[in-house]
Amino acid sequence: MSFTSFGFLLFFGVLLLLYYIIPKPWQWRLLLAGSIFFYAFAGWGAMAYMAATILSTWFCGRKIGTCFAGHEKWLAENRATSDRETRKTKKAQAKAAARRWMLAGILFNFGMLAVVKYADFLLGNVNGIIGLFGGGEETVPLPHFLLPMGISFYIFQSMGYLLDVYRNKYQPQKNLGKFALFVSFFPQLIQGPISRYDALAPSLLAEHRWDTATAAFGLQRMLWGFFKKLVVADRLMAVVRTLSGNPDEYQGVYVLALMAVYAVTLYADFTGGIDVTIGAAQCLGIEVAENFNRPFFSKSTAEYWRRWHITMGSWFRDYIFYPVSISKTMLGWTQKVKAKFGAGAAKRFPVYLATMLTWFVTGVWHGASWNFIVWGLLNGVIILISQELEPLYARFHERFPGLGRSFGWRLFQVGRTFWLMGAVRVLDCYRDVPVTFRAVGTIFTRFDLSVLWDGSMLALGASGADWLAAGAGALLMLAVSLVQRRGSVREQLAEKPLALRWAVFGALLLAVVVFGAYGVGFDANQFIYNQF
């Protein structure tokens, strides 16, 4: 059930009505039933994967809690009579037992994800290697598993919960139904965000009374999301498909156009879906984490990734980068590097290795194909190169102190980051690494600006009306981002006269209805991040 379908609007309207008229203690149960109903539209077979994640994670979390609780009970009973070594041994035993349950949950769920999402990719590469030595085209049959909707999102969210329980950040949820709601909460199933249990659960499981102002804010956020998705993203997607689908025909400046158009399309599509997610949750009185913070204003790649898909980045940082970089194994390797190559190399080694591993996993998370792996590794390389160049930047700004504070320099940094990320992001468009590098190379060998004004851009699957509607929408998105520097746009509008507020949101609704991409040639049913 897509957010942009009439079925979703009907479903959410009925759910919202029932949510506030049933007894408050039943609200979370209604949300659980609604989430199961919502996910069932993706196929009942897909429910088996989610059920496996819910049951295994809840069970392992309870077992981890039992290990720690047992140790606490023993400690309370034997603290006065036991010596330090005995207490230390008992603690280590409890930690080891908890670790076994944590690893069991991790291996089961990531193993399931690996099978359904990556089996074809791995076996396809095996067939490719066999083919090099004269084997058949498909020596190893490919299973072709159906990828369940949102499986990467809910498994990563569940594993974050399990790791937090293992780290004693909070106690495991004893109620299976409440935990199932945390995993399956329907607004964030399609494309996130990847929520943390301690951030989402308090409002998700609380009792809520109708609040007109809160519901109005939620509906406004949903409307803004529909505008970005239907008016901007879905109109520009035809251009992205035309340019990326014909790399031999569209080269040079067309590749630059693809970088720019896809950047706007992906941002409008992804943030539009997140706006609907956050808005729908807010209508229900539930707080969901923000996932974007004006990323196109970033002045460096590292800053960009602190602003884009924030919950994914923080997940990889907290559960992969930091644990890997400070692990005992890494410490041992670092000491060997220091003995052989010196303190400078030892200082960089854990950061470099953890960064590249994190970005490799990030690439694999996005998709089971080489273009995503190369995309992830390129991001890691760019970030590390930027870190190495920081002393040079510092000396440059010492030499020219006024330049670094100037608007022109900041604008240059923003533009540089935008195009650099665009160049890496086209790996997502072409889905083929050699094709991508050849296409980017034509920017320098077949550069011809005349295609921008000779009418060629009107033959890319979008009419002049499409360009006008999407362009006006993109400019409005830019204006809203600029206004957001002073705080929430909705809160700023709430302080304006009632007539002005109604006029603004009425115009936005009219724009969605009149200029939204519907009908033949448009696909308003799928969000780009559904595939992940």
Side-chain angles (χ1 to χ4, degrees), residues 62-235:
R62 290 295 308 275
K63 285 295 185 178
I64 292 170
T66 299
C67 293
F68 290 139
H71 174 255
E72 290 298 325
K73 181 180 179 181
W74 179 91
L75 192 62
E77 295 172 350
N78 298 276
R79 185 187 299 274
T81 58
S82 61
D83 58 36
R84 183 178 179 182
E85 284 302 317
T86 301
R87 292 195 298 270
K88 187 176 180 181
T89 300
K90 288 291 185 179
K91 182 177 181 180
Q93 290 174 346
K95 188 76 172 180
R99 181 180 176 83
R100 287 193 291 271
W101 285 111
M102 179 271 290
L103 290 175
I106 293 286
L107 291 173
F108 174 79
N109 282 280
F110 281 140
M112 180 171 62
L113 179 63
V115 168
V116 300
K117 190 170 183 178
Y118 305 108
D120 283 2
F121 172 68
L122 293 173
L123 294 178
N125 281 279
V126 169
N127 284 332
I129 294 171
I130 294 174
L132 293 175
F133 297 95
E137 190 171 307
E138 192 172 301
T139 304
V140 181
L142 304 183
H144 299 300
F145 289 105
L146 178 65
L147 185 64
M149 180 183 73
I151 187 171
S152 294
F153 288 102
Y154 67 70
I155 283 184
F156 271 63
Q157 181 164 303
S158 300
M159 295 305 96
Y161 161 87
L162 192 62
L163 288 166
D164 284 345
V165 169
Y166 172 72
R167 294 173 177 179
N168 253 327
K169 186 177 180 181
Y170 43 73
Q171 294 298 309
Q173 172 57 254
K174 295 181 180 180
N175 188 304
L176 176 59
K178 291 181 178 180
F179 178 73
L181 176 59
F182 164 71
V183 176
S184 65
F185 183 45
F186 72 91
Q188 59 182 27
L189 277 178
I190 290 181
Q191 54 185 359
I194 303 172
S195 297
R196 306 293 178 92
Y197 182 81
D198 55 335
L200 178 61
S203 62
L204 179 65
L205 303 175
E207 299 176 5
H208 298 282
R209 296 185 179 278
W210 172 263
D211 182 89
T212 301
T214 300
F217 270 20
L219 292 173
Q220 291 163 13
R221 186 73 179 262
M222 293 178 70
L223 180 59
W224 180 232
F226 290 135
F227 175 84
K228 288 195 285 188
K229 167 64 174 171
L230 296 174
V231 178
V232 180
D234 283 355
R235 286 192 176 275

Side-chain angles (χ1 to χ4, degrees), residues 176-481:
L176 176 59
K178 291 181 178 180
F179 178 73
L181 176 59
F182 164 71
V183 176
S184 65
F185 183 45
F186 72 91
Q188 59 182 27
L189 277 178
I190 290 181
Q191 54 185 359
I194 303 172
S195 297
R196 306 293 178 92
Y197 182 81
D198 55 335
L200 178 61
S203 62
L204 179 65
L205 303 175
E207 299 176 5
H208 298 282
R209 296 185 179 278
W210 172 263
D211 182 89
T212 301
T214 300
F217 270 20
L219 292 173
Q220 291 163 13
R221 186 73 179 262
M222 293 178 70
L223 180 59
W224 180 232
F226 290 135
F227 175 84
K228 288 195 285 188
K229 167 64 174 171
L230 296 174
V231 178
V232 180
D234 283 355
R235 286 192 176 275
L236 292 179
M237 182 53 74
V239 178
V240 172
R241 289 171 178 162
T242 299
L243 291 174
S244 61
N246 302 276
D248 294 330
E249 180 180 356
Y250 297 110
Q251 301 181 346
V253 172
Y254 285 115
V255 180
L256 286 175
L258 176 60
M259 292 179 188
V261 172
Y262 185 61
V264 176
T265 302
L266 181 61
Y267 178 77
D269 185 282
F270 196 3
T271 62
I274 293 296
D275 286 334
V276 176
T277 293
I278 294 176
Q282 190 170 18
C283 288
L284 299 165
I286 298 166
E287 298 177 9
V288 173
E290 293 287 347
N291 218 23
F292 291 87
N293 180 21
R294 300 182 294 119
F296 291 150
F297 290 91
S298 304
K299 296 185 283 294
S300 69
T301 303
E303 181 185 359
Y304 174 88
W305 282 110
R306 289 193 297 269
R307 292 167 171 260
W308 178 283
H309 208 339
I310 297 169
T311 57
M312 180 199 71
S314 64
W315 197 100
F316 285 113
R317 180 196 66 211
D318 294 345
Y319 301 116
I320 295 182
F321 178 82
Y322 286 146
V324 168
S325 61
I326 63 175
S327 66
K328 292 182 179 179
T329 301
M330 183 67 76
L331 180 61
W333 290 350
T334 301
Q335 292 300 323
K336 294 179 181 179
V337 170
K338 183 178 181 180
K340 191 167 186 179
F341 299 103
K347 181 180 179 181
R348 289 172 171 81
F349 178 76
V351 176
Y352 278 28
L353 187 57
T355 296
M356 294 308 297
L357 176 62
T358 300
W359 278 105
F360 171 78
V361 176
T362 303
V364 171
W365 180 89
H366 277 81
S369 59
W370 284 108
N371 64 292
F372 286 118
I373 293 173
V374 174
W375 168 86
L377 294 176
L378 281 176
N379 274 286
V381 169
I382 292 169
I383 290 173
L384 291 177
I385 291 175
S386 298
Q387 290 178 359
E388 287 298 318
L389 292 176
E390 284 180 359
L392 181 61
Y393 297 151
R395 289 196 297 271
F396 175 80
H397 290 304
E398 287 178 5
R399 178 68 177 82
F400 304 99
L403 180 61
R405 295 190 296 269
S406 67
F407 173 77
W409 178 254
R410 295 197 300 273
L411 187 63
F412 164 76
Q413 290 178 300
V414 169
R416 176 194 61 190
T417 303
F418 176 85
W419 288 109
L420 185 59
M421 289 293 92
V424 176
R425 195 185 292 114
V426 288
L427 282 159
D428 186 16
C429 300
Y430 293 114
R431 299 298 177 96
D432 185 285
V433 177
V435 169
T436 301
F437 281 103
R438 285 198 298 270
V440 173
T442 65
I443 296 173
F444 306 98
T445 60
R446 300 192 60 182
F447 191 82
D448 181 11
L449 282 174
S450 65
V451 300
L452 296 177
W453 56 74
D454 65 3
S456 299
M457 301 301 290
L458 297 178
L460 300 178
S463 65
D466 292 327
W467 281 109
L468 185 61
L475 288 175
L476 180 59
M477 289 165 54
L478 174 61
V480 169
S481 292

Side-chain angles (χ1 to χ4, degrees), residues 509-520:
L509 176 60
L510 185 64
V512 172
V513 174
V514 175
F515 299 111
Y518 306 101
V520 178

